């Protein structure tokens, strides 16, 4: 059990990196979705990204 604090730090650092990466990816998707909606349906985008339809609608507004 001596390594528990170290594991918490490692996993916590990984979690923080992943959250930062997700913010960056979300930002990229937000900028692409208005244009993507011209050639993709809500369902196409949902299946490709895992975003909900309400989020797709919101992020697709020009």
């Amino acid at each position: 059990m001596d390594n528990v604090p170290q594991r918490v730090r490692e996993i916590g650092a990984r979690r923080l990196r992943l959250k930062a990466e997700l913010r960056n990816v979300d930002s990229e998707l937000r900028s692409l979705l208005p244009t993507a909606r011209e050639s993709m349906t809500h369902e196409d985008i949902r299946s490709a990204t895992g975003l909900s339809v309400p989020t797709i609608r919101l992020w697709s507004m020009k």
Side-chain angles (χ1 to χ4, degrees), residues 2-62:
D2 291 335
N3 68 343
V4 170
Q6 179 61 29
R7 291 288 295 146
V8 168
R9 283 190 285 278
E10 290 170 358
I11 293 169
R14 180 176 166 217
R15 182 177 184 275
L16 291 173
R17 284 191 307 273
L18 289 169
K19 286 180 74 170
E21 185 176 348
L22 182 58
R23 279 191 302 274
N24 291 336
V25 169
D26 282 351
S27 178
E28 288 182 56
L29 279 172
R30 268 183 183 240
S31 67
L32 288 173
L33 282 185
T35 304
R37 277 294 294 132
E38 295 171 7
S39 60
M40 296 176 78
T41 66
H42 286 105
E43 183 55 31
D44 291 337
I45 296 169
R46 191 200 61 72
S47 66
T49 64
L51 294 172
S52 68
V53 171
T55 298
I56 294 166
R57 286 186 180 129
L58 180 65
W59 289 6
S60 296
M61 297 169 135
K62 291 186 179 184

